Every structure is written in C-alpha cells, then in structure tokens.
Amino acid sequence: MTTYKSTKRLLVGVVLCTAATATFLVVSGKGSRPSQSPAPQNQTNDLAKKAREAYKRGGLREAAKVQGNYVADYDPHPDFGQFSIEDLTKNSAAVIVGRVTKKLDARLLEGRVIFTDYEVAVDELIKGNLGQTKTIVMTIPGGRFFFEDGTSAEQLTPTFDQPRVGRAYALFLTREAALPSVFFLSGGPQGMFDIEDSSSVRSHGRPEDPGAVETKGKSKEAFLNDVHAKARKWPKPGKCCG
C-alpha cells in the first residue's frame, strides 16, 4: 500500500494526474455576451486550444479567463493503486457510516484541481477517534469554482458519481496536515460505498477495483460486518492515499 509522506506530494500527484488525464471540453462564456448564433467550428476549436494552453501556463484561473466558464472532464481514480476492503480499512484514519446532509463550497487545490466539500452526519464510527464530533466535512474531486473576476472553472467527473444529499454511505477517510479541518477519501473514489439500499452495496470505485469486486452483490449487513471485523484487526489510524 502506497503511503504519501506529505500533503504537498499528494497534491502535486493529483495535479500531475490532472494534466495527464483531463479531457477538455469547449463551452461558451456564461453571461459574457448576448445570445447569438453558435460560433463557427474553427473558431470554437481555436478557443479550446487557447484554453488548453492557458491551463498549461497558469492553471484553471487562466483557462477561465479565456472562456469565461471553463469546463473540463477530470478522472479522479488514482493510477497508483487498487485497494481491497482490508487495505482501505487498515490505511484509513477513520471509517464511518454517515449521511450526506449538505453540499458546501468548492475549493481550488494547487490552482489545477477542484474539490467540493460535503457535510456528513456521522451515524456510526467504525474506526478512528472523532471525539464528540457528530458531523464531519469531506472533500470530493470535482465541482465548480468561481474566481473574483466573475469567471469560473468546472471539473466534471463522468466516471465518478458525486455523493447525493440525503443518502447513506460507508466512508473510508484520510486526513492531510495542510487541510486538517476536512477528510479526503482513502484511495479516491474507492473509499466511498453507497449503502442506502440495504440489499446491495455499491462501490464508487471502478468495477475492476478490488473493493468493488468484493462488495458486488453483497448486502449492507454483510458488508458492514466485514468492515467491523477488519477494523478490529487494524484498530490504529492509518495513512492512505487521498
């Protein structure tokens, strides 16, 4: 299991992954001009090219200046590892069952990656120590960030379903020193499991990820029993790959 030694290394890795895997989409600037006929295809392609070049130079802020509202696809699945339920449990600082209660603001990391914060009510603490905390904030890849000049940048995650307010999840969580007030998902999307349907657990990882394979067709009760058993085996807080 890979363990990041510092927040900086984590964020730099995320940024490099973004630069390598993001597929950029072209959209018109929102509110920048009156309604008019679509631009010719070659003009649209030129704008997209300028936005890509601006992103390489100065990140999402510069790309947003080119298009007004800059939109790109982002793949949040890590290329550094695939994790079993035991891996996730062992290397997480906390494992909880919780319900998403509110979508909060987006944050910009290193100028190139957007994360969105979610408020989560803790129903059960399986591993870790949250003190008297009944609510946590976790931050998830993807979202829309607004800059001071009125432009915005948005990163879509078509291969990763964002959490839904009101639904229950089992969450494998890690923390970073630079952002101690929020939790990241251990192993990226692999650390989130939808348990709203008691008859079937759904991993938010890729279908081929070990955790997704292990839980396919498994009931909520069987899944949580397995996580509890692994938490007893690995009770000490771990450090994973958010």
Side-chain angles (χ1 to χ4, degrees), residues 5-234:
K5 295 183 178 180
S6 69
T7 301
K8 184 65 176 178
R9 185 176 173 186
L10 166 69
L11 299 184
V12 170
V14 170
V15 169
L16 291 176
C17 180
T18 303
T21 62
T23 302
F24 299 99
L25 305 178
V26 178
V27 294
S28 60
K30 256 189 176 179
S32 60
R33 66 184 69 182
S35 177
Q36 56 186 16
S37 300
Q41 187 63 44
N42 60 342
Q43 183 178 335
T44 300
N45 291 339
D46 288 345
L47 191 64
K49 181 179 179 180
K50 289 178 181 179
R52 289 195 297 270
E53 292 171 349
Y55 175 82
K56 292 177 182 178
R57 289 195 311 271
L60 292 168
R61 182 185 295 272
E62 293 304 312
K65 289 180 180 178
V66 173
Q67 288 189 306
N69 176 31
Y70 176 73
V71 180
D73 277 355
Y74 172 60
D75 181 2
H77 298 282
D79 59 0
F80 49 76
Q82 294 176 296
F83 310 102
S84 66
I85 299 300
E86 183 158 2
D87 291 331
L88 291 169
T89 306
K90 176 182 178 181
N91 293 283
S92 290
V95 181
I96 70 166
V97 172
R99 193 171 295 277
V100 176
T101 56
K102 188 183 299 184
K103 182 177 180 179
L104 304 173
D105 294 334
R107 61 176 74 238
L108 186 64
L109 301 183
E110 295 290 299
R112 294 180 179 274
V113 184
I114 299 171
F115 276 66
T116 299
D117 292 349
Y118 289 84
E119 182 182 271
V120 181
V122 180
D123 294 332
E124 181 183 6
L125 178 63
I126 298 176
K127 175 180 174 176
N129 182 9
L130 300 179
Q132 301 300 311
T133 301
K134 299 298 182 183
T135 302
I136 66 164
V137 175
M138 69 172 179
T139 194
I140 301 290
R144 186 177 182 184
F145 186 85
F146 292 87
F147 297 102
E148 301 86 348
D149 61 1
T151 62
S152 67
E154 185 174 7
Q155 287 183 326
L156 307 175
T157 57
T159 61
F160 168 51
D161 291 337
Q162 296 286 311
R164 292 166 56 187
V165 173
R167 290 189 77 83
Y169 297 89
L171 302 168
F172 297 79
L173 303 167
T174 189
R175 263 182 162 155
E176 299 300 331
L179 292 171
S181 62
V182 302
F183 285 92
F184 291 82
L185 289 173
S186 297
Q190 295 177 66
M192 185 163 72
F193 295 81
D194 189 320
I195 57 171
E196 183 69 24
D197 182 354
S198 61
S199 65
S200 178
V201 172
R202 186 171 74 88
S203 167
H204 281 249
R206 295 159 293 201
E208 67 272 19
D209 287 329
V213 174
E214 288 178 59
T215 55
K216 186 176 181 180
K218 185 173 284 190
S219 70
K220 173 183 176 179
E221 181 180 8
F223 167 68
L224 292 180
N225 285 342
D226 186 32
V227 176
H228 274 281
K230 289 176 170 55
R232 289 192 293 271
K233 182 179 178 181
W234 304 104

